[in-house]
Structure formats: C-alpha cells, structure tokens
Amino acid sequence: MRQLKLSKAFTLVEPGPVVLVTTHDGDKGNIMTISWTMVLDFKPVFAITTGEWNHSFAALRDRRECVIAIPPVDMLDKVVGIGTCSGADTDKFARFKLTAVPGRVVRAPLIKECLANIECKVVDIVRKHDIVVLEGVAAYVDPARKEKRTVHAVGDGTFVVDGRRMDRRKLMASKIPEGL
Amino acid sequence: MRQLKLSKAFTLVEPGPVVLVTTHDGDKGNIMTISWTMVLDFKPVFAITTGEWNHSFAALRDRRECVIAIPPVDMLDKVVGIGTCSGADTDKFARFKLTAVPGRVVRAPLIKECLANIECKVVDIVRKHDIVVLEGVAAYVDPARKEKRTVHAVGDGTFVVDGRRMDRRKLMASKIPEGL
C-alpha cells in the first residue's frame, strides 16, 4: 500500500461507498460493515452512524480509534458477510480470509485486500444521534489493486456498482481546495 | 410524482448520490447542492453537513424544514451550477430552469425534474460539527423519469455515475426491515 496525502482521504469516502471499519479492543481486531458515512468538510474528517447495537462500538468508544477500509466490488460478498455476523463470536479476519496489516498510528488494523485504508482517531461521539466523528491521521491506497470500482448500499439488500466517471473539475474550480 | 412509502425513503439517500436541498425563507425558495449526507437508521432520518457558509443555512435554521431532491445524471451540470453560485444573488429555480412544486407538509419546494423528493423537518442542529439532522415526513418518486442513474461526488470535481445493480437480498435478509 502506498501512502496517500491526507488532504485527499475524503475523496475515498465522499462518493458513498460501503466501507469496512476495523477496531482493536486491546486483545483482538474486529471488522464491521458501514454504509452510513458522511464527509464533514474538505478535510479528512468523517461521521459514521454506529452505536451499542454494533459489537465494534465498545472498542471504538473505549480505544477511540479505528480504520476505514474501502473494499472494491469483488469483495461484496465478504462485505455483506461481515455485516451479517458479529465479532462477539466470530474472528472475522479468519472467517473472511482477510489480512490484517499493522497501521502506523492506530492499533486497529488495515485490511490488505482493500483499495484504500484510512487510520482514524475518534474526535467525538454524538450519543443523541449515534454519530461518531472521526479524523483521519494517515491514509493509504493500493495502486496495484486492479478492481477499482466500489459499491454503494441501497439499504434494501441491493447494491449499485460504480459506473463511468465524469469530469467537472473546470466548472467546480472555485469550490475545490488546491492540490486535489 | 407518486408518493413513496416513508419507510423506503432512506434507500434514496443511502447509496450516496449528490442531492439538491431546497429551502424557503418565507419569501422565496432556494436550492443548494449537498454531497455530504448520511442515513442515520433504517428510518427516514438523515444527516447533512452544512453551516453558515451556505446561504441556505439561515432558512434551514430558522424555518426548520427543507426538501431533499435526488437528481439523476442528466442534471449533473445543473447540480454543479447550483453548487457554485449563491442564493444571495441568484434565483436558482429561474437560472437553472427548474420547476418548484409545492410540498404537502413543508413550504420548501419539491423539484419536479428530480427522480425523487423527500420533505423533511429539522430535528436537530449539531453546531459543533455543522451537522443538521433531518426527519423525512413525506416522500415522492417520479416513475416516468427515464434516466434513473444518480451521480456520486468524489469531491475533487469528478463524479461517478451509477453502474449495474447487484442483488444480495437473500444474504442480507436478517438485517433488512420487513416490507423493503
């Protein structure tokens, strides 16, 4: 994996792909599937919706760090599988044959098979709305990963795969931070 | 436009399309482009990131209502145009030749040309993070709209169009609310 400029990390999350979020509780790593994500600025700051109903929430709350990993479409069945079992009784890295790679800043592991990974610190937990605010502290992409299309959850059990890309950089020049 | 069951409204936002958000300040309607959105539950409850930097924010804060409209890809240039000018000096409905349709519950207008519209009430404004929490109160889709592909902002001036759909309803049956 190649390090990515942190200023570009929000472009991994903004299009709305389903992501995998890893945590580490001090003893072992775990993974959850999250499609409820939001970018909070033209910065590596993100919100995700999670709470007590996710086993990973305790590690996120207590350790205050995680990794957002971006899976491409060829991982869809693993993504769905991860989202429909619990770390309470399952070692998801083993069950889904995923490779945990140590991060540089946080103890939550990167996922080698993913397109990109963002190491994050928890900035705040807005309990009233079950929103966790994260700040990216390091980001990586795997340029060698051939499948680059991500997948978007509709929420009803169907998913939409990335189609073609359209360029409106010139029209949006006034809004986009320099260097993107 | 045909009324959509409110329980299905979150499926319009969860895949992460760029949306248009309309407001009404008591005098006139306005539109902003928002790609920073998140679903908060399997319910018509949404978060968007916005704040004082958007002219629409004052109307959203004061009137506590808005409409989330979902534009298909054939509206991309209007979506970008709406996001790069201000309601402070522009009548965006006139400039972008969009048709304001009265909602049933809120005064913010629906946009006739969009695929779908969700009338929303403001539930809360989390000022610390510039997050506005919305609850849908009525939703509509236009089944006659031929172009159904939505578009996802990458954040760098490029956009990804919806590609093919993949069905994982069976695998996800345990997680999906009944009736979706």
Side-chain angles (χ1 to χ4, degrees), chain A residues 28-71:
Chain A
K28 59 185 188 307
N30 190 20
I31 320 173
M32 63 179 162
T33 298
I34 295 277
S35 54
W36 300 339
T37 67
M38 175 166 71
V39 165
L40 288 182
D41 199 348
F42 288 103
K43 290 181 185 164
V45 183
F46 313 101
I48 66 173
T49 304
T50 181
E52 304 286 354
W53 66 87
N54 279 324
H55 182 71
S56 294
F57 182 73
L60 192 61
R61 178 195 61 211
D62 297 345
R63 301 282 160 166
R64 298 189 78 80
E65 47 182 49
C66 66
V67 167
I68 300 174
I70 315 288

Side-chain angles (χ1 to χ4, degrees), chain B residues 108-158:
Chain B
L110 315 181
I111 301 177
K112 184 172 184 285
E113 289 76 11
C114 283
L115 269 180
N117 284 269
I118 309 168
E119 295 187 57
C120 295
K121 296 274 192 183
V122 173
V123 172
D124 196 10
I125 300 180
V126 184
R127 296 300 289 254
K128 185 177 175 189
H129 301 295
D130 296 312
I131 292 172
V132 178
V133 178
L134 303 170
E135 178 166 11
V137 289
Y140 314 86
V141 289
D142 181 358
R145 192 72 158 90
K146 281 190 184 165
E147 177 60 75
K148 297 197 190 303
R149 293 173 303 161
T150 66
V151 64
H152 304 261
V154 176
D156 62 356
T158 66

Side-chain angles (χ1 to χ4, degrees), chain A residues 41-105:
Chain A
D41 199 348
F42 288 103
K43 290 181 185 164
V45 183
F46 313 101
I48 66 173
T49 304
T50 181
E52 304 286 354
W53 66 87
N54 279 324
H55 182 71
S56 294
F57 182 73
L60 192 61
R61 178 195 61 211
D62 297 345
R63 301 282 160 166
R64 298 189 78 80
E65 47 182 49
C66 66
V67 167
I68 300 174
I70 315 288
V73 60
D74 58 14
M75 289 176 67
L76 179 58
D77 288 335
K78 295 189 185 205
V79 167
V80 171
I82 289 164
T84 49
C85 68
S86 173
D89 54 21
T90 308
D91 176 342
K92 298 198 196 183
F93 279 95
R95 174 158 170 194
F96 297 102
K97 297 184 172 58
L98 294 171
T99 313
V101 178
R104 298 185 195 188
V105 185

Side-chain angles (χ1 to χ4, degrees), chain A residues 10-12 14-17 35-42 47-49 53-54 73 76-77 80-81 83-85 123-126 128-131 133 149 151-177 180, chain B residues 10-12 14-17 35-42 47-49 53-54 73 76-77 80-81 83-85 123-126 128-131 133 149 151-177 180:
Chain A
F10 79 91
T11 65
L12 300 168
E14 180 155 329
S35 54
W36 300 339
T37 67
M38 175 166 71
V39 165
L40 288 182
D41 199 348
F42 288 103
I48 66 173
T49 304
W53 66 87
N54 279 324
V73 60
L76 179 58
D77 288 335
V80 171
T84 49
C85 68
V123 172
D124 196 11
I125 300 181
V126 185
K128 186 176 173 189
H129 301 295
D130 296 311
I131 293 171
V133 179
R149 293 173 303 161
V151 64
H152 304 261
V154 176
D156 62 356
T158 66
F159 296 83
V160 177
V161 185
D162 285 347
R164 73 188 179 94
R165 192 174 280 237
M166 295 172 81
D167 190 331
R168 293 296 182 278
R169 288 174 200 263
K170 281 185 189 166
L171 274 172
M172 283 188 65
S174 64
K175 287 283 180 178
I176 305 295
L180 279 181
Chain B
F10 79 91
T11 65
L12 300 168
E14 180 154 330
S35 54
W36 300 340
T37 66
M38 175 167 70
V39 165
L40 289 182
D41 199 348
F42 287 103
I48 66 174
T49 303
W53 66 86
N54 279 324
V73 60
L76 178 59
D77 287 336
V80 171
T84 49
C85 69
V123 172
D124 196 10
I125 300 180
V126 184
K128 185 177 175 189
H129 301 295
D130 296 312
I131 292 172
V133 178
R149 293 173 303 161
V151 64
H152 304 261
V154 176
D156 62 356
T158 66
F159 295 83
V160 177
V161 185
D162 285 347
R164 74 188 180 95
R165 191 174 280 235
M166 296 172 80
D167 190 331
R168 292 297 183 276
R169 289 174 198 263
K170 282 184 190 168
L171 275 173
M172 285 189 64
S174 65
K175 286 283 181 179
I176 305 295
L180 279 179

